[in-house]
Amino acid sequence: MSQTLPSGSLSGKTALVTGSSRGIGADTVRYFAEAGANVVINFRNKAPRAEKLATQLRELGVEALVVGADLTDPASVQAMFDEVKRTFGGLDILVLNASGGMESGMAEDYALLLNRDAQVNVLDTALPLLTADARVVFVTSHQAHFIRTTPTMPEYEPVALSKRAGEDALREKIPALEERGIGFTVVSGDMIEGTITATLLERANPGAISARREDAGKLYNVSEFAAEVARAAVDPVPADNTRLVGDTDSFGGE
């Protein structure tokens, strides 16, 4: 994994990434730590993995707080931010990375509960901790971002619709965030090779990943996409609050 942010550029800052015990979230939090930020690693049920990552990041000379939380449980979310406040006092970067909805055995409304309602609640709960020039990043996919104009695989459609609903609900908060000097950016990526979602889609629809790779010419891997997410937290906020990563030629407008 290569350095994506200048070393020391985030010294004294604190960054929290939801769902950061593995995958895109773990690589994003690592990039922040490499740039000197103290980090909060959030997990739902992968405590050993989160602790292992924290141990690695502390070797970089930063503080790493590990906090388990079920993002669909407001009390659990509140407890997480209470711990962040006790440890760091405030928060400079919040990356809303955790999502889901393709897991088996979940309630019918789980995707909407996690990808819309929980995202809004996490931001609302974090708001008192966010510093005056804080940055909020919401991570999504092209398949969700463009779902209104471009159909996706049936297996992914409930997740795509719920993630777009979450994006819309968060975008409604942009004026209030801007009033406080807080920047908000949506990072939308094409299918990412090596993610759990890609694996589940491939299982449900064999050949889906290779077909999309052929169509797009290239698919980002986890580390490459995480670098884009990390940069979105420090780069100027785009005029439309949107950072598109990867090919968009096969998608219609929003």
Side-chain angles (χ1 to χ4, degrees):
M1 216 164 98
S2 60
Q3 176 81 33
T4 180
L5 304 175
S7 181
S9 60
L10 292 179
S11 292
K13 303 284 189 183
T14 300
L16 184 154
V17 181
T18 62
S20 48
S21 66
R22 62 183 176 184
I24 293 164
D27 278 6
T28 301
V29 96
R30 185 186 297 277
Y31 285 130
F32 289 148
E34 287 176 346
N38 295 319
V39 294
V40 184
I41 301 167
N42 159 252
F43 69 94
R44 188 180 66 178
N45 53 17
K46 302 286 181 188
R49 195 176 298 188
E51 291 290 357
K52 181 180 178 182
L53 176 61
T55 299
Q56 294 170 354
L57 299 188
R58 288 177 191 126
E59 291 173 2
L60 298 171
V62 302
E63 287 188 62
L65 174 67
V66 177
V67 191
D70 176 355
L71 300 187
T72 64
D73 176 3
S76 182
V77 170
Q78 184 64 61
M80 173 174 71
F81 285 111
D82 287 346
E83 198 162 338
V84 172
K85 184 177 182 179
R86 277 194 300 272
T87 306
F88 297 116
L91 194 59
D92 302 286
I93 296 171
L94 171 64
V95 177
L96 300 168
N97 165 71
S99 66
M102 293 190 69
E103 301 89 339
S104 57
M106 294 297 190
E108 194 175 329
D109 64 345
Y110 179 70
L112 205 55
L113 181 63
L114 176 59
N115 297 330
R116 183 193 64 188
D117 301 349
Q119 305 299 320
V120 171
N121 180 62
V122 168
L123 177 55
D124 286 346
T125 310
L127 210 49
L129 290 183
L130 292 177
T131 53
D133 58 349
R135 299 293 292 275
V136 178
V137 177
F138 175 67
V139 181
T140 189
S141 65
H142 290 350
Q143 289 73 21
H145 182 68
F146 294 105
I147 188 61
R148 293 203 192 96
T149 58
T150 310
T152 188
M153 287 172 278
E155 298 85 358
Y156 190 65
E157 188 171 330
V159 176
L161 288 168
S162 65
K163 282 188 71 66
R164 182 66 223 204
E167 179 183 335
D168 292 343
L170 290 166
R171 282 183 182 274
E172 288 177 9
K173 295 185 172 291
I174 290 175
L177 291 173
E178 287 179 342
E179 277 183 24
R180 297 183 49 165
I182 298 170
F184 177 85
T185 301
V186 170
V187 180
S188 176
D190 203 344
M191 281 187 190
I192 309 299
E193 302 216 47
T195 61
I196 295 165
T197 298
T199 302
L200 291 172
L201 283 172
E202 184 70 22
R203 194 176 298 159
N205 195 341
I209 303 301
S210 56
R212 180 61 198 143
R213 188 189 307 114
E214 190 172 327
D215 200 29
K218 167 189 167 64
L219 293 181
Y220 280 62
N221 63 31
V222 168
S223 180
E224 291 169 332
F225 183 64
E228 294 289 334
V229 174
R231 279 195 287 266
V234 297
D235 285 353
V237 176
D240 61 354
N241 300 88
T242 309
R243 187 183 185 108
L244 299 173
V245 181
D247 177 69
T248 58
D249 290 347
S250 28
F251 296 92
E254 289 184 41

